mmCIF file with all atom_site columns, all heavy atoms in Angstrom:
data_model
loop_
_atom_site.group_PDB
_atom_site.id
_atom_site.type_symbol
_atom_site.label_atom_id
_atom_site.label_alt_id
_atom_site.label_comp_id
_atom_site.label_asym_id
_atom_site.label_entity_id
_atom_site.label_seq_id
_atom_site.pdbx_PDB_ins_code
_atom_site.Cartn_x
_atom_site.Cartn_y
_atom_site.Cartn_z
_atom_site.occupancy
_atom_site.B_iso_or_equiv
_atom_site.pdbx_formal_charge
_atom_site.auth_seq_id
_atom_site.auth_comp_id
_atom_site.auth_asym_id
_atom_site.auth_atom_id
_atom_site.pdbx_PDB_model_num
ATOM 1   N N   . GLU A 1 174 ? -258.236 -113.132 248.319 1.00 86.00 ? 1280 GLU A N   1
ATOM 2   C CA  . GLU A 1 174 ? -257.541 -112.378 247.410 1.00 86.00 ? 1280 GLU A CA  1
ATOM 3   C C   . GLU A 1 174 ? -256.278 -111.707 247.967 1.00 86.00 ? 1280 GLU A C   1
ATOM 4   O O   . GLU A 1 174 ? -255.702 -110.735 247.509 1.00 86.00 ? 1280 GLU A O   1
ATOM 5   C CB  . GLU A 1 174 ? -258.544 -111.108 246.963 1.00 86.00 ? 1280 GLU A CB  1
ATOM 6   C CG  . GLU A 1 174 ? -259.799 -111.617 246.252 1.00 86.00 ? 1280 GLU A CG  1
ATOM 7   C CD  . GLU A 1 174 ? -260.646 -110.529 245.660 1.00 86.00 ? 1280 GLU A CD  1
ATOM 8   O OE1 . GLU A 1 174 ? -260.296 -109.299 245.753 1.00 86.00 ? 1280 GLU A OE1 1
ATOM 9   O OE2 . GLU A 1 174 ? -261.786 -110.809 245.299 1.00 86.00 ? 1280 GLU A OE2 1
ATOM 10  N N   . PHE A 1 175 ? -255.889 -112.320 249.097 1.00 78.00 ? 1281 PHE A N   1
ATOM 11  C CA  . PHE A 1 175 ? -254.780 -111.779 249.821 1.00 78.00 ? 1281 PHE A CA  1
ATOM 12  C C   . PHE A 1 175 ? -253.541 -111.865 249.031 1.00 78.00 ? 1281 PHE A C   1
ATOM 13  O O   . PHE A 1 175 ? -253.208 -112.778 248.227 1.00 78.00 ? 1281 PHE A O   1
ATOM 14  C CB  . PHE A 1 175 ? -254.431 -112.772 251.042 1.00 78.00 ? 1281 PHE A CB  1
ATOM 15  C CG  . PHE A 1 175 ? -253.457 -112.222 252.006 1.00 78.00 ? 1281 PHE A CG  1
ATOM 16  C CD1 . PHE A 1 175 ? -253.986 -111.336 253.035 1.00 78.00 ? 1281 PHE A CD1 1
ATOM 17  C CD2 . PHE A 1 175 ? -252.145 -112.610 252.177 1.00 78.00 ? 1281 PHE A CD2 1
ATOM 18  C CE1 . PHE A 1 175 ? -253.064 -110.855 253.976 1.00 78.00 ? 1281 PHE A CE1 1
ATOM 19  C CE2 . PHE A 1 175 ? -251.294 -112.109 253.066 1.00 78.00 ? 1281 PHE A CE2 1
ATOM 20  C CZ  . PHE A 1 175 ? -251.753 -111.266 254.069 1.00 78.00 ? 1281 PHE A CZ  1
ATOM 21  N N   . ARG A 1 176 ? -252.808 -110.713 248.946 1.00 71.00 ? 1282 ARG A N   1
ATOM 22  C CA  . ARG A 1 176 ? -251.703 -110.488 248.083 1.00 71.00 ? 1282 ARG A CA  1
ATOM 23  C C   . ARG A 1 176 ? -250.305 -110.257 248.864 1.00 71.00 ? 1282 ARG A C   1
ATOM 24  O O   . ARG A 1 176 ? -250.374 -110.080 250.028 1.00 71.00 ? 1282 ARG A O   1
ATOM 25  C CB  . ARG A 1 176 ? -251.977 -109.265 247.129 1.00 71.00 ? 1282 ARG A CB  1
ATOM 26  C CG  . ARG A 1 176 ? -253.287 -109.433 246.375 1.00 71.00 ? 1282 ARG A CG  1
ATOM 27  C CD  . ARG A 1 176 ? -253.528 -108.123 245.685 1.00 71.00 ? 1282 ARG A CD  1
ATOM 28  N NE  . ARG A 1 176 ? -254.887 -108.183 245.121 1.00 71.00 ? 1282 ARG A NE  1
ATOM 29  C CZ  . ARG A 1 176 ? -255.413 -107.174 244.303 1.00 71.00 ? 1282 ARG A CZ  1
ATOM 30  N NH1 . ARG A 1 176 ? -254.822 -105.994 244.295 1.00 71.00 ? 1282 ARG A NH1 1
ATOM 31  N NH2 . ARG A 1 176 ? -256.600 -107.416 243.829 1.00 71.00 ? 1282 ARG A NH2 1
ATOM 32  N N   . GLN A 1 177 ? -249.348 -110.259 248.116 1.00 66.00 ? 1283 GLN A N   1
ATOM 33  C CA  . GLN A 1 177 ? -248.000 -109.927 248.720 1.00 66.00 ? 1283 GLN A CA  1
ATOM 34  C C   . GLN A 1 177 ? -247.974 -108.459 249.198 1.00 66.00 ? 1283 GLN A C   1
ATOM 35  O O   . GLN A 1 177 ? -248.670 -107.614 248.637 1.00 66.00 ? 1283 GLN A O   1
ATOM 36  C CB  . GLN A 1 177 ? -246.763 -110.056 247.757 1.00 66.00 ? 1283 GLN A CB  1
ATOM 37  C CG  . GLN A 1 177 ? -246.619 -111.520 247.385 1.00 66.00 ? 1283 GLN A CG  1
ATOM 38  C CD  . GLN A 1 177 ? -246.258 -112.401 248.550 1.00 66.00 ? 1283 GLN A CD  1
ATOM 39  O OE1 . GLN A 1 177 ? -245.419 -112.123 249.342 1.00 66.00 ? 1283 GLN A OE1 1
ATOM 40  N NE2 . GLN A 1 177 ? -246.911 -113.641 248.573 1.00 66.00 ? 1283 GLN A NE2 1
ATOM 41  N N   . SER A 1 178 ? -247.260 -108.260 250.382 1.00 61.00 ? 1284 SER A N   1
ATOM 42  C CA  . SER A 1 178 ? -247.129 -106.955 250.948 1.00 61.00 ? 1284 SER A CA  1
ATOM 43  C C   . SER A 1 178 ? -246.585 -106.010 249.903 1.00 61.00 ? 1284 SER A C   1
ATOM 44  O O   . SER A 1 178 ? -245.657 -106.385 249.190 1.00 61.00 ? 1284 SER A O   1
ATOM 45  C CB  . SER A 1 178 ? -246.284 -107.048 252.175 1.00 61.00 ? 1284 SER A CB  1
ATOM 46  O OG  . SER A 1 178 ? -246.251 -105.733 252.699 1.00 61.00 ? 1284 SER A OG  1
ATOM 47  N N   . GLY A 1 179 ? -247.203 -104.803 249.814 1.00 64.00 ? 1285 GLY A N   1
ATOM 48  C CA  . GLY A 1 179 ? -246.805 -103.877 248.745 1.00 64.00 ? 1285 GLY A CA  1
ATOM 49  C C   . GLY A 1 179 ? -247.513 -103.864 247.523 1.00 64.00 ? 1285 GLY A C   1
ATOM 50  O O   . GLY A 1 179 ? -247.343 -103.109 246.703 1.00 64.00 ? 1285 GLY A O   1
ATOM 51  N N   . SER A 1 180 ? -248.555 -104.778 247.398 1.00 77.00 ? 1286 SER A N   1
ATOM 52  C CA  . SER A 1 180 ? -249.237 -104.773 246.129 1.00 77.00 ? 1286 SER A CA  1
ATOM 53  C C   . SER A 1 180 ? -250.170 -103.569 246.045 1.00 77.00 ? 1286 SER A C   1
ATOM 54  O O   . SER A 1 180 ? -250.583 -103.010 247.132 1.00 77.00 ? 1286 SER A O   1
ATOM 55  C CB  . SER A 1 180 ? -250.093 -106.198 246.096 1.00 77.00 ? 1286 SER A CB  1
ATOM 56  O OG  . SER A 1 180 ? -249.265 -107.291 246.139 1.00 77.00 ? 1286 SER A OG  1
ATOM 57  N N   . ALA A 1 181 ? -250.613 -103.178 244.780 1.00 88.00 ? 1287 ALA A N   1
ATOM 58  C CA  . ALA A 1 181 ? -251.521 -102.108 244.621 1.00 88.00 ? 1287 ALA A CA  1
ATOM 59  C C   . ALA A 1 181 ? -252.728 -102.325 245.219 1.00 88.00 ? 1287 ALA A C   1
ATOM 60  O O   . ALA A 1 181 ? -253.350 -103.380 245.200 1.00 88.00 ? 1287 ALA A O   1
ATOM 61  C CB  . ALA A 1 181 ? -251.486 -101.709 243.237 1.00 88.00 ? 1287 ALA A CB  1
ATOM 62  N N   . PRO A 1 182 ? -253.407 -101.378 245.947 1.00 91.00 ? 1288 PRO A N   1
ATOM 63  C CA  . PRO A 1 182 ? -254.619 -101.646 246.552 1.00 91.00 ? 1288 PRO A CA  1
ATOM 64  C C   . PRO A 1 182 ? -255.791 -101.867 245.592 1.00 91.00 ? 1288 PRO A C   1
ATOM 65  O O   . PRO A 1 182 ? -255.898 -101.280 244.452 1.00 91.00 ? 1288 PRO A O   1
ATOM 66  C CB  . PRO A 1 182 ? -254.919 -100.337 247.333 1.00 91.00 ? 1288 PRO A CB  1
ATOM 67  C CG  . PRO A 1 182 ? -253.661 -99.622  247.465 1.00 91.00 ? 1288 PRO A CG  1
ATOM 68  C CD  . PRO A 1 182 ? -252.789 -100.091 246.436 1.00 91.00 ? 1288 PRO A CD  1
ATOM 69  N N   . ALA A 1 183 ? -256.712 -102.720 245.846 1.00 93.00 ? 1289 ALA A N   1
ATOM 70  C CA  . ALA A 1 183 ? -257.750 -103.118 244.984 1.00 93.00 ? 1289 ALA A CA  1
ATOM 71  C C   . ALA A 1 183 ? -258.832 -101.981 244.949 1.00 93.00 ? 1289 ALA A C   1
ATOM 72  O O   . ALA A 1 183 ? -259.219 -101.446 246.070 1.00 93.00 ? 1289 ALA A O   1
ATOM 73  C CB  . ALA A 1 183 ? -258.505 -104.392 245.340 1.00 93.00 ? 1289 ALA A CB  1
ATOM 74  N N   . ALA A 1 184 ? -259.388 -101.538 243.881 1.00 95.00 ? 1290 ALA A N   1
ATOM 75  C CA  . ALA A 1 184 ? -260.400 -100.497 243.857 1.00 95.00 ? 1290 ALA A CA  1
ATOM 76  C C   . ALA A 1 184 ? -261.606 -100.778 244.741 1.00 95.00 ? 1290 ALA A C   1
ATOM 77  O O   . ALA A 1 184 ? -262.159 -99.831  245.333 1.00 95.00 ? 1290 ALA A O   1
ATOM 78  C CB  . ALA A 1 184 ? -260.702 -100.282 242.336 1.00 95.00 ? 1290 ALA A CB  1
ATOM 79  N N   . TYR A 1 185 ? -262.080 -102.024 244.721 1.00 96.00 ? 1291 TYR A N   1
ATOM 80  C CA  . TYR A 1 185 ? -263.262 -102.159 245.393 1.00 96.00 ? 1291 TYR A CA  1
ATOM 81  C C   . TYR A 1 185 ? -263.027 -102.016 246.967 1.00 96.00 ? 1291 TYR A C   1
ATOM 82  O O   . TYR A 1 185 ? -264.008 -101.627 247.635 1.00 96.00 ? 1291 TYR A O   1
ATOM 83  C CB  . TYR A 1 185 ? -263.818 -103.687 245.158 1.00 96.00 ? 1291 TYR A CB  1
ATOM 84  C CG  . TYR A 1 185 ? -263.053 -104.780 246.029 1.00 96.00 ? 1291 TYR A CG  1
ATOM 85  C CD1 . TYR A 1 185 ? -263.618 -105.156 247.278 1.00 96.00 ? 1291 TYR A CD1 1
ATOM 86  C CD2 . TYR A 1 185 ? -261.934 -105.361 245.520 1.00 96.00 ? 1291 TYR A CD2 1
ATOM 87  C CE1 . TYR A 1 185 ? -262.829 -106.111 248.028 1.00 96.00 ? 1291 TYR A CE1 1
ATOM 88  C CE2 . TYR A 1 185 ? -261.390 -106.501 246.304 1.00 96.00 ? 1291 TYR A CE2 1
ATOM 89  C CZ  . TYR A 1 185 ? -261.797 -106.798 247.475 1.00 96.00 ? 1291 TYR A CZ  1
ATOM 90  O OH  . TYR A 1 185 ? -261.198 -107.826 248.255 1.00 96.00 ? 1291 TYR A OH  1
ATOM 91  N N   . VAL A 1 186 ? -261.801 -102.230 247.497 1.00 96.00 ? 1292 VAL A N   1
ATOM 92  C CA  . VAL A 1 186 ? -261.533 -101.990 248.766 1.00 96.00 ? 1292 VAL A CA  1
ATOM 93  C C   . VAL A 1 186 ? -261.702 -100.524 249.155 1.00 96.00 ? 1292 VAL A C   1
ATOM 94  O O   . VAL A 1 186 ? -262.273 -100.109 250.269 1.00 96.00 ? 1292 VAL A O   1
ATOM 95  C CB  . VAL A 1 186 ? -260.057 -102.517 249.136 1.00 96.00 ? 1292 VAL A CB  1
ATOM 96  C CG1 . VAL A 1 186 ? -259.698 -102.121 250.522 1.00 96.00 ? 1292 VAL A CG1 1
ATOM 97  C CG2 . VAL A 1 186 ? -259.953 -104.006 249.086 1.00 96.00 ? 1292 VAL A CG2 1
ATOM 98  N N   . ARG A 1 187 ? -261.194 -99.721  248.210 1.00 97.00 ? 1293 ARG A N   1
ATOM 99  C CA  . ARG A 1 187 ? -261.270 -98.224  248.563 1.00 97.00 ? 1293 ARG A CA  1
ATOM 100 C C   . ARG A 1 187 ? -262.703 -97.852  248.559 1.00 97.00 ? 1293 ARG A C   1
ATOM 101 O O   . ARG A 1 187 ? -263.178 -97.108  249.408 1.00 97.00 ? 1293 ARG A O   1
ATOM 102 C CB  . ARG A 1 187 ? -260.538 -97.384  247.464 1.00 97.00 ? 1293 ARG A CB  1
ATOM 103 C CG  . ARG A 1 187 ? -259.066 -97.581  247.453 1.00 97.00 ? 1293 ARG A CG  1
ATOM 104 C CD  . ARG A 1 187 ? -258.379 -96.600  246.643 1.00 97.00 ? 1293 ARG A CD  1
ATOM 105 N NE  . ARG A 1 187 ? -256.927 -96.791  246.516 1.00 97.00 ? 1293 ARG A NE  1
ATOM 106 C CZ  . ARG A 1 187 ? -256.066 -96.312  247.436 1.00 97.00 ? 1293 ARG A CZ  1
ATOM 107 N NH1 . ARG A 1 187 ? -256.508 -95.654  248.442 1.00 97.00 ? 1293 ARG A NH1 1
ATOM 108 N NH2 . ARG A 1 187 ? -254.764 -96.567  247.276 1.00 97.00 ? 1293 ARG A NH2 1
ATOM 109 N N   . GLU A 1 188 ? -263.501 -98.475  247.611 1.00 98.00 ? 1294 GLU A N   1
ATOM 110 C CA  . GLU A 1 188 ? -264.924 -97.987  247.524 1.00 98.00 ? 1294 GLU A CA  1
ATOM 111 C C   . GLU A 1 188 ? -265.831 -98.379  248.679 1.00 98.00 ? 1294 GLU A C   1
ATOM 112 O O   . GLU A 1 188 ? -266.568 -97.725  249.152 1.00 98.00 ? 1294 GLU A O   1
ATOM 113 C CB  . GLU A 1 188 ? -265.463 -98.610  246.117 1.00 98.00 ? 1294 GLU A CB  1
ATOM 114 C CG  . GLU A 1 188 ? -264.937 -97.919  244.913 1.00 98.00 ? 1294 GLU A CG  1
ATOM 115 C CD  . GLU A 1 188 ? -265.347 -98.659  243.590 1.00 98.00 ? 1294 GLU A CD  1
ATOM 116 O OE1 . GLU A 1 188 ? -266.401 -99.358  243.604 1.00 98.00 ? 1294 GLU A OE1 1
ATOM 117 O OE2 . GLU A 1 188 ? -264.626 -98.557  242.610 1.00 98.00 ? 1294 GLU A OE2 1
ATOM 118 N N   . PHE A 1 189 ? -265.498 -99.642  249.100 1.00 98.00 ? 1295 PHE A N   1
ATOM 119 C CA  . PHE A 1 189 ? -266.331 -100.155 250.218 1.00 98.00 ? 1295 PHE A CA  1
ATOM 120 C C   . PHE A 1 189 ? -265.888 -99.357  251.481 1.00 98.00 ? 1295 PHE A C   1
ATOM 121 O O   . PHE A 1 189 ? -266.734 -98.903  252.308 1.00 98.00 ? 1295 PHE A O   1
ATOM 122 C CB  . PHE A 1 189 ? -265.890 -101.559 250.510 1.00 98.00 ? 1295 PHE A CB  1
ATOM 123 C CG  . PHE A 1 189 ? -266.694 -102.214 251.729 1.00 98.00 ? 1295 PHE A CG  1
ATOM 124 C CD1 . PHE A 1 189 ? -268.005 -102.599 251.610 1.00 98.00 ? 1295 PHE A CD1 1
ATOM 125 C CD2 . PHE A 1 189 ? -265.953 -102.390 252.876 1.00 98.00 ? 1295 PHE A CD2 1
ATOM 126 C CE1 . PHE A 1 189 ? -268.579 -103.087 252.846 1.00 98.00 ? 1295 PHE A CE1 1
ATOM 127 C CE2 . PHE A 1 189 ? -266.579 -102.787 254.014 1.00 98.00 ? 1295 PHE A CE2 1
ATOM 128 C CZ  . PHE A 1 189 ? -267.882 -103.107 254.005 1.00 98.00 ? 1295 PHE A CZ  1
ATOM 129 N N   . SER A 1 190 ? -264.595 -99.107  251.678 1.00 98.00 ? 1296 SER A N   1
ATOM 130 C CA  . SER A 1 190 ? -264.122 -98.401  252.882 1.00 98.00 ? 1296 SER A CA  1
ATOM 131 C C   . SER A 1 190 ? -264.596 -96.894  252.898 1.00 98.00 ? 1296 SER A C   1
ATOM 132 O O   . SER A 1 190 ? -265.060 -96.380  253.932 1.00 98.00 ? 1296 SER A O   1
ATOM 133 C CB  . SER A 1 190 ? -262.727 -98.413  252.907 1.00 98.00 ? 1296 SER A CB  1
ATOM 134 O OG  . SER A 1 190 ? -262.052 -99.694  252.998 1.00 98.00 ? 1296 SER A OG  1
ATOM 135 N N   . ALA A 1 191 ? -264.715 -96.341  251.717 1.00 98.00 ? 1297 ALA A N   1
ATOM 136 C CA  . ALA A 1 191 ? -265.287 -94.905  251.703 1.00 98.00 ? 1297 ALA A CA  1
ATOM 137 C C   . ALA A 1 191 ? -266.720 -94.993  252.005 1.00 98.00 ? 1297 ALA A C   1
ATOM 138 O O   . ALA A 1 191 ? -267.144 -93.940  252.737 1.00 98.00 ? 1297 ALA A O   1
ATOM 139 C CB  . ALA A 1 191 ? -265.035 -94.399  250.270 1.00 98.00 ? 1297 ALA A CB  1
#
Side-chain angles (χ1 to χ4, degrees):
E1280 299 186 13
F1281 194 80
R1282 304 171 185 176
Q1283 293 299 314
S1284 183
S1286 298
Y1291 82 89
V1292 172
R1293 293 190 186 281
E1294 293 172 21
F1295 178 81
S1296 300

